[in-house]
Amino acid sequence: MPPLIRRALAPCLLLWSLAAPLPAASAQSSDPWVEDAQALANALRTQHAKVDWLTPLDAFEQTVEETLQQIASVETDEARVVSLMHLIASVRDGHTVLASASRYEQFGWLPFSALWLDDGLFIRRVPAAYAELLGGKILAVNDHPIESVMDRLRPYVPHGVDARFRRWAPSYLHLPGLLYALGLADSAETARLTVRLRNGQVATRSFTNTSDEEAEALPFVSLDDTYPSTLLRFQDPDCLYQLTALPEERAVYVNYRRIGVDDAESPWDFANRLVALLEADGVDRLVLDLRDNGGGGYQWAAHLGPMLAHLPRINRRGGLYLLIGQRTFSAAIDVANWFQLHTEALFVGSPAGGRPVTPGDDDPSTLPHSGLTVNISRAYETSTFMGDARDSWQPDIAVSETMADRLAGRDAALEVALAHQPEPLPTAPVALSWLGRYRFEPDADLVIEQEGNRLIATAFPRLRLALHPVGERRFATRVPGLTFTVAGDGQSITLGLPGGQTRTLEELPAEQRSGWELFRDGRYAEAEAAFWQVLAEYPDLQGLSDGALPSEAIHAVFRVRPDVGVEASRQVGGELVRMCIRLHPEGETPNCEFSLRFYE
């Protein structure tokens, strides 16, 4: 499609306003922009994996109607795109966004970038001519206080948690056409920033809309290149996964920047090298840094957790720390979920950029008139447990991230992770009546066993959690809000879920085995029969979907019967993929058949 044509109009007419909606009939015109809005609404309804995951359907439909009315009432392309952005953001999904190329095509680009830390918004990258701005704190945009500017942007930046908004809002700040359409600028081509420089002085600088060709001719400087060398986090930024031995702390630091395949080393070779280093004498702590990890292909990380979980010197309370922050997102949250549910890891930093359960796997969808591209999440599969309604991913130990620390060469979160000595968790005498097997989810049983002086709750393959007494027959876990209360006779458990809901887990015969346990034990035919039985009653069960089973096959290679060796483990994963094809003959069979080559 040709680029959209800009037309000037007073900013007051461009603001999103529903004070005077048009009659519904006017939204049914032949206006191609209205058709685009209808196409977008339909794409969100039919292509998004769960468009009502946070926004009720009636509220979403109300926003659709308001969007149609608004688009029919405004006169500029900028205002119409702003209306579409509001509809997209109403889904509250950080994966479902107006693609960056479409944003820049429509609104232009100012040649600077910023980042939002706990002590403010700061200039991160600028043309060399503006180098004095690096690390400066943004105070205002076109004389509007930066706080009010960010509040004005909030309805148009897709996010399910505030940390995601803080991560991405700065990239909307350098869209001059958007600032103009929201009444934050007098021109769709320029903007003025008022910045407190690192020397304390206040300066105002103007930026002008810059084309790709013009940007290529500009020399840029980046704050990341100026940080003191003591900051391990910013060393070798192009390396996807980097490890550093810290002998004085008896620790290893891993900066895991992106889930993928590094040109210099495969993720499996890296994991083997990491494990060898962790098994050496003099190492009893691992710090895994996910703060700059925005995700990737989870299949490239599925092996890491199970491999580290088998190291008793590391997988203990005080031996394993994960650093998280606002940039931790998508598949990186799946990694964090796995470590929380299966290891003794403690999490340090600030809230992650998404919830524990969030839509993902976005694919592009193109609007018919404008040619704008919208990325829409196509998957919604929990990597935790049924009923996980946590509204944020919170660290165990909160540590602020500030520009002052960065400029001083200090990494506060890493310092905490290296020095932390956790307090012992409480224990209590174990009543034998508490031990047993309970129905946890349709395809997974919960088994409570005694391990030393503590109770362990295992629901293979969902979780393995230590239980810590917090009351009479009531136990807490590493997962905030997830509790277990054992009935006096031990015949049931009340499962307390994050968000306040509860579920009763009935006791099962001790000799019973779930399909997953049968599969783990190599009893494949019995496992498949058990899965068929579960799917007959719960045909839409996420844990046995044609998307979840291939993912679990990757885990199976590294977690199921780890003593049998690599080749045998690959055969185990292949068996699960073949089982998926039989269970879902009309599902993702082509993808499963393709993936079989990695197991055979």
Side-chain angles (χ1 to χ4, degrees):
M1 289 287 182
L4 301 180
I5 300 173
R6 300 181 184 275
R7 292 192 298 272
L9 188 67
C12 62
L13 297 180
L14 302 176
L15 299 180
W16 175 272
S17 172
L18 301 175
L22 296 180
S26 66
Q28 306 302 317
S29 69
S30 59
D31 184 341
W33 279 100
V34 171
E35 294 175 6
D36 263 9
Q38 293 169 333
L40 172 61
N42 190 55
L44 293 172
R45 292 187 194 102
T46 61
Q47 298 177 26
H48 194 281
K50 189 172 175 61
V51 73
D52 60 343
W53 80 295
L54 289 181
T55 302
L57 282 178
D58 57 349
F60 171 76
E61 293 300 340
Q62 178 63 31
T63 303
V64 170
E65 182 61 26
E66 293 167 351
T67 300
L68 293 172
Q69 295 172 356
Q70 180 68 16
I71 283 181
S73 71
V74 297
E75 299 182 17
T76 70
D77 291 345
E78 291 96 340
R80 295 181 180 108
V81 177
V82 166
S83 298
L84 297 178
M85 291 171 64
H86 185 270
L87 176 57
I88 295 167
S90 74
V91 180
R92 301 173 62 193
D93 170 16
H95 281 100
T96 297
V97 300
L98 180 66
S100 58
S102 290
R103 296 199 300 267
Y104 295 139
E105 178 186 74
Q106 179 59 36
F107 296 122
W109 176 71
L110 302 174
F112 73 88
S113 65
L115 73 159
W116 196 344
L117 301 177
D118 290 326
D119 51 348
L121 275 103
F122 296 88
I123 297 292
R124 181 178 185 180
R125 184 173 181 265
V126 286
Y130 288 20
E132 80 277 6
L133 298 181
L134 281 183
K137 184 175 181 179
I138 302 175
L139 304 178
V141 178
N142 297 315
D143 299 326
H144 297 278
I146 189 62
E147 296 80 8
S148 65
V149 172
M150 305 317 283
D151 287 343
R152 192 74 185 90
L153 288 173
R154 186 176 289 273
Y156 310 100
V157 180
H159 62 283
V161 295
D162 187 65
R164 186 64 176 170
F165 175 68
R166 290 163 60 91
R167 163 67 180 94
W168 277 108
S171 68
Y172 288 65
L173 194 62
H174 59 209
L175 302 175
L178 178 61
L179 298 177
Y180 176 65
L182 295 178
L184 297 171
D186 298 328
S187 164
E189 298 295 326
T190 62
R192 297 185 315 278
L193 300 186
T194 303
V195 179
R196 179 179 292 118
L197 305 180
R198 290 163 64 173
N199 63 11
Q201 296 182 355
V202 175
T204 298
R205 298 289 184 269
S206 294
F207 291 85
T208 301
N209 185 18
T210 302
S211 67
D212 292 344
E213 294 76 13
E214 292 169 333
E216 289 177 2
L218 286 175
F220 279 83
V221 290
S222 173
L223 188 63
D224 293 0
D225 298 330
T226 69
Y227 292 133
S229 59
T230 52
L231 289 176
L232 298 176
R233 176 180 178 182
F234 298 103
Q235 293 181 6
D236 198 4
D238 295 328
C239 182
L240 298 191
Y241 27 80
Q242 181 184 33
L243 65 83
T244 303
L246 303 172
E248 292 186 6
E249 291 84 2
R250 298 179 57 86
V252 171
Y253 168 75
V254 173
N255 194 353
Y256 199 2
R257 293 187 179 89
R258 182 74 181 171
I259 300 176
V261 180
D262 193 275
D263 292 339
E265 185 178 31
S266 78
W268 299 281
D269 289 341
F270 172 78
N272 288 329
R273 182 162 64 93
L274 173 60
V275 168
L277 184 58
L278 294 174
E279 289 179 328
D281 292 337
V283 178
D284 52 25
R285 185 175 299 223
L286 170 65
V287 180
L288 182 62
D289 193 346
L290 298 176
R291 286 176 295 178
D292 294 313
N293 196 319
Y298 182 66
Q299 68 272 21
W300 307 119
H303 62 292
L304 187 60
M307 292 178 74
L308 297 175
H310 291 308
L311 304 178
R313 200 163 64 208
I314 298 300
N315 185 20
R316 60 178 177 82
R317 186 171 168 82
L320 180 57
Y321 291 83
L322 272 70
L323 308 185
I324 61 173
Q326 61 178 253
R327 292 174 175 264
T328 309
F329 188 62
S330 194
I333 288 182
D334 290 333
V335 171
N337 286 342
W338 197 95
F339 275 90
Q340 185 180 55
L341 292 170
H342 295 89
T343 73
E344 299 289 337
L346 291 170
F347 293 81
V348 180
S350 56
R355 300 172 183 236
V357 180
T358 186
D361 291 347
D362 54 280
D363 283 330
S365 182
T366 302
L367 301 185
H369 160 64
S370 62
L372 294 172
T373 299
V374 181
N375 297 328
I376 299 176
S377 291
R378 308 304 172 95
Y380 183 75
E381 295 175 352
T382 177
S383 59
T384 58
F385 49 86
M386 291 175 60
D388 187 355
R390 283 177 285 171
D391 59 7
S392 62
W393 218 119
Q394 295 289 333
D396 299 303
I397 306 169
V399 179
S400 296
E401 184 174 2
T402 67
M403 181 57 69
D405 278 347
R406 288 192 180 194
L407 296 178
R410 182 181 179 223
D411 189 334
L414 178 56
E415 289 178 7
V416 168
L418 291 173
H420 184 251
Q421 298 296 330
E423 294 290 331
L425 291 172
T427 58
V430 175
L432 294 179
S433 63
W434 299 346
L435 309 181
R437 174 179 294 271
Y438 302 84
R439 173 68 69 204
F440 182 64
E441 293 180 2
D443 62 330
D445 297 345
L446 180 77
V447 178
I448 297 184
E449 301 172 299
Q450 185 173 1
E451 185 180 277
N453 63 350
R454 64 179 186 170
L455 292 177
I456 300 293
T458 302
F460 183 83
R462 303 283 187 271
L463 55 82
R464 184 182 188 276
L465 295 169
L467 304 182
H468 311 292
V470 292
E472 186 178 1
R473 301 192 306 277
R474 187 169 182 267
F475 299 86
T477 69
R478 289 189 298 275
V479 180
L482 185 65
T483 63
F484 296 80
T485 303
V486 184
D489 57 7
Q491 294 184 2
S492 67
I493 287 177
T494 299
L495 179 68
L497 294 167
Q501 295 181 330
T502 61
R503 197 165 78 221
T504 300
L505 312 181
E506 298 297 335
E507 189 174 24
L508 299 171
E511 67 277 5
Q512 183 168 317
R513 295 292 181 270
S514 71
W516 283 114
E517 290 171 294
L518 292 169
F519 178 82
R520 177 194 62 192
D521 296 337
R523 298 159 63 179
Y524 302 137
E526 295 173 79
E528 184 170 346
F531 289 156
W532 275 115
Q533 186 174 353
V534 171
L535 286 172
E537 188 173 356
Y538 303 94
D540 298 323
L541 186 67
Q542 287 187 3
L544 294 180
S545 70
D546 52 6
L549 287 173
S551 296
E552 188 57 38
I554 301 171
H555 276 131
V557 174
F558 298 93
R559 187 181 60 211
V560 178
R561 302 175 65 188
D563 57 315
V564 301
V566 175
E567 290 303 318
S569 294
R570 290 178 63 181
Q571 293 174 10
V572 170
E575 183 59 42
L576 186 52
V577 174
R578 285 187 287 271
M579 191 181 299
C580 177
I581 294 173
R582 293 191 293 270
L583 291 171
H584 301 284
E586 297 180 0
E588 295 293 330
T589 296
N591 290 337
C592 289
E593 290 176 343
F594 175 82
S595 66
L596 274 176
R597 68 183 62 190
F598 299 105
Y599 298 96
E600 296 176 338

